[in-house]
Amino acid sequence: MDAGEKLIEGEEYLLSFSDQKILQSSRDPSSSIEIEYLDYDCHARLTIPAKNIKEGSSRALRILENVINIFKFTYHLRNVHISKHYFGINSVTNAIHHPIITMEDEEYISHKYDISYSPPLLNRQVIKDIKDSNSTLNSLIKKTKPETLAKLSNVLFWYEKGREAETDHEKFISYWVALEYLIKNDKNKTVKSQMLDLIPIMLVSLSFVNELKSIYKYFDNIFFSQGQSPSELKDIEGLHNFPLINSKIFAEHILKFKKYSSDEYINHRIDCFCNASINVIDQKRQLTLLNNKYRNLTNRIYRIRNNIVHEAGTTHNDLILYANWLEYIIRVLLSNFDSKNLNSSLSWDECKQLYWDWKRNLDEGTAIDLV
């Protein structure tokens, strides 16, 4: 919360005791207390049409959960805590309503926080994504159709349940619920057939562009830590605004970035990407291999789901591996709507069309454009 922000009566008491002291100290010019912000809190005000305070607070909490789940999904955040404390103002009578406030265990809350990111870097990324109309963040937030918002809300609810689950079985089941609800669009087809029609094709058609995204983020982090990108790259048309560049331009000039990498694995991945970009035989082999592997993976996940749901199965080797694959599949499906840049690549229908175009061209002996 901005220390200079004017508070509505009662808002300050929604903060923990330690945060109240920090806020009061920051307003006192004579204070010599050195403040270190270990936790980063957000304070929200919402205007909700409701019949009473209970209905309004419940709807407001759900809206906050939906927005926070989108941010957690987009930026891989974990254990973001929503306080149960709130108060409401009746816009007609100006009467203030609030529930009985229960003291929360601050030590417990701090223990639950997992600050595995740098707030300045996160803030930089959020600002950049807000400005980019095609970013994943904007793609998720601006889905204004009621049915789309409802589906997104439910999928992210179960997705976050999976991320925060403590056991492998809980993770798997939570991710499965999210995935099944996400892909179930045709009442005349079974869930399994819809999975096999969509998941392998999505993963294959996006495998190269997702690899490019990963390499791109590596260099973005390097150049940001150095304060600027190399002048050699800025002189290249299309790269002067790095990191705001097009995936095709980045792929075309990727070898120019290699000299700035000190990571042998990154260099190996760059070489593999370049070889796959020009070799028709290698492209066809990889396309077939990836499709077979992803179909086998999808079938395996479905069999595990059946064993757990229908036979109360409790023993599965490498269950966490398949739970992690479910998480990855959901991320791929949710991150691809209609944009064609490095942040979100292709819609589901575009991915399907891309895959069959690739297959036809390779069968004819023509190299394909991987991004």
Side-chain angles (χ1 to χ4, degrees):
M1 178 187 295
D2 185 352
E5 183 179 353
K6 183 177 180 181
L7 296 179
I8 298 174
E9 180 184 356
E11 283 188 309
E12 186 168 330
Y13 302 103
L14 298 179
L15 303 175
S16 65
F17 289 137
S18 59
D19 287 340
Q20 287 183 40
K21 291 178 182 177
I22 290 176
L23 188 64
Q24 292 165 3
S25 298
S26 66
R27 290 171 170 170
D28 183 1
S30 62
S31 174
S32 58
I33 298 177
E34 186 174 336
I35 300 171
E36 292 184 6
Y37 291 91
L38 300 179
D39 301 327
Y40 288 77
D41 293 340
C42 295
H43 182 78
R45 294 172 182 164
L46 289 84
T47 301
I48 303 291
K51 297 178 180 178
N52 52 58
I53 187 66
K54 186 175 182 179
E55 177 190 344
S57 62
S58 177
R59 293 177 63 185
L61 180 61
R62 188 59 194 269
I63 290 173
L64 286 176
E65 288 177 339
N66 292 344
V67 173
I68 288 173
N69 282 341
I70 288 175
F71 274 83
K72 289 166 71 176
F73 169 82
T74 305
Y75 303 108
H76 303 271
L77 308 181
R78 291 184 181 274
N79 297 327
V80 178
H81 174 78
I82 303 178
S83 173
K84 298 296 189 295
H85 297 171
Y86 69 88
F87 79 97
I89 301 177
N90 188 313
S91 60
V92 177
T93 64
N94 289 325
I96 296 178
H97 306 267
H98 61 79
I100 297 175
I101 294 181
T102 58
M103 293 298 101
E104 298 182 354
D105 186 341
E106 291 189 31
E107 183 178 351
Y108 168 76
I109 293 171
S110 297
H111 176 70
K112 288 290 288 182
Y113 282 133
D114 177 18
I115 306 300
S116 55
Y117 57 90
S118 164
L121 285 176
L122 176 63
N123 187 56
R124 165 183 175 261
Q125 186 64 48
V126 171
I127 291 174
K128 186 171 74 172
D129 288 347
I130 289 174
K131 293 179 180 179
D132 181 2
S133 60
N134 291 323
S135 68
T136 299
L137 179 65
N138 279 325
S139 295
L140 293 173
I141 287 179
K142 293 183 178 180
K143 295 295 173 182
T144 53
K145 291 183 179 179
E147 61 273 18
T148 305
L149 286 173
K151 168 166 280 196
L152 178 63
S153 171
N154 292 339
V155 169
L156 288 178
F157 174 86
W158 284 104
Y159 174 81
E160 290 303 329
K161 286 289 185 185
R163 291 184 73 214
E164 297 178 2
E166 295 183 356
T167 70
D168 297 348
H169 280 79
E170 289 174 329
K171 282 183 179 294
F172 185 93
I173 291 298
S174 296
Y175 287 144
W176 176 268
V177 173
L179 177 63
E180 180 172 329
Y181 187 68
L182 178 61
I183 68 172
K184 194 163 58 175
N185 295 314
D186 190 340
K187 295 181 180 179
N188 297 320
K189 291 184 177 181
T190 65
V191 173
K192 182 179 180 180
S193 65
Q194 291 184 71
M195 287 179 64
L196 290 171
D197 286 345
L198 177 65
I199 292 174
I201 287 179
M202 285 289 295
L203 296 183
V204 171
S205 57
L206 292 169
S207 57
F208 300 106
V209 75
N210 283 338
E211 173 70 350
L212 198 64
K213 287 182 190 179
S214 178
I215 297 173
Y216 165 89
K217 288 181 179 178
Y218 169 79
F219 289 106
D220 185 17
N221 290 334
I222 286 180
F223 298 154
F224 179 74
S225 64
Q226 296 174 350
Q228 61 179 358
S229 55
S231 56
E232 172 191 4
L233 300 178
K234 290 183 177 180
D235 294 337
I236 300 174
E237 181 64 29
L239 296 182
H240 57 285
N241 284 329
F242 188 90
L244 299 176
I245 60 176
N246 179 281
S247 59
K248 292 184 181 294
I249 295 175
F250 181 61
E252 182 181 348
H253 296 280
I254 193 171
L255 285 175
K256 294 183 175 68
F257 286 76
K258 187 177 176 182
K259 68 169 68 176
Y260 299 101
S261 166
S262 58
D263 189 316
E264 293 184 4
Y265 181 53
I266 289 290
N267 294 337
H268 171 72
R269 290 163 64 186
I270 291 175
D271 291 338
C272 290
F273 181 87
C274 292
N275 290 336
S277 299
I278 58 176
N279 191 315
V280 176
I281 296 176
D282 191 41
Q283 286 183 342
K284 189 171 184 178
R285 180 185 63 81
Q286 289 196 43
L287 196 70
T288 302
L289 182 64
L290 286 172
N291 184 60
N292 290 339
K293 284 188 173 182
Y294 287 140
R295 286 189 70 85
N296 290 337
L297 172 68
T298 304
N299 277 313
R300 175 62 176 159
I301 290 174
Y302 191 78
R303 287 196 296 271
I304 293 174
R305 173 263 184 195
N306 284 347
N307 179 259
I308 293 175
V309 173
H310 299 302
E311 300 177 26
T314 58
T315 304
H316 298 92
N317 294 329
D318 299 324
L319 183 61
I320 188 60
L321 171 65
Y322 294 105
N324 289 339
W325 267 111
L326 277 175
E327 179 187 10
Y328 174 73
I329 291 169
I330 294 168
R331 290 198 66 84
V332 169
L333 295 179
L334 280 179
S335 297
N336 293 275
F337 287 104
D338 23 50
S339 166
K340 296 183 181 179
N341 64 11
L342 282 169
N343 291 320
S344 47
S345 10
L346 299 170
S347 70
W348 295 4
D349 289 339
E350 288 172 327
C351 283
K352 290 181 179 179
Q353 185 61 49
L354 178 65
Y355 174 83
W356 293 114
D357 288 345
W358 278 2
K359 196 171 186 310
R360 184 184 66 255
N361 289 336
L362 290 174
D363 287 342
E364 296 173 354
T366 305
I368 57 176
D369 183 358
L370 297 179
V371 294

